[in-house]
Amino acid sequence: MFATIVLAIGAAFFVFTSLYALARPAQFAKPLGLALPGADGLNEIRAQYGGFFLISGLAVAAALIGQVPREWGLVVLVVTFGGLICGRLLALIAERSF
């Protein structure tokens, strides 16, 4: 049951993030402190956040509905969020501040 809840929350987060980044890349980037000077910036947000999170969300959803083993979906979540957490921690060390 716990794995089902984790997969459902993960899939929803990934899909929502993806759709927002694909539909409104400038609004998505603004709270992140990113400036998008032109089409290249818009395309980068769509690719990096929209595309990546869409495929990740579909992979997690496939695990949630039993199309692939649940472990695969959990691995996608661990790799993605583990990478984000690791990157944040390294940034804290490099910048020596929040």
Side-chain angles (χ1 to χ4, degrees):
M1 181 63 145
F2 180 73
T4 300
I5 292 168
V6 169
L7 289 169
I9 291 170
F13 173 81
F14 283 158
V15 170
F16 173 77
T17 300
S18 170
L19 295 177
Y20 186 43
L22 290 168
R24 296 196 162 104
Q27 291 87 345
F28 181 89
K30 190 173 182 178
L32 300 175
L34 301 174
L36 304 179
D40 290 342
L42 296 172
N43 288 336
E44 197 63 22
I45 290 295
R46 285 186 174 116
Q48 293 294 325
Y49 290 94
F52 176 78
F53 280 103
L54 179 62
I55 295 303
S56 297
L58 293 175
V60 173
L64 183 63
I65 64 171
Q67 294 298 308
V68 298
R70 286 182 177 267
E71 293 83 6
W72 292 10
L74 294 170
V75 167
V76 170
L77 291 173
V78 168
V79 168
T80 302
F81 289 111
L84 292 171
I85 291 167
C86 183
R88 299 273 189 243
L89 292 174
L90 291 173
L92 287 174
I93 292 167
E95 299 298 324
R96 294 184 172 92
S97 73
F98 287 98

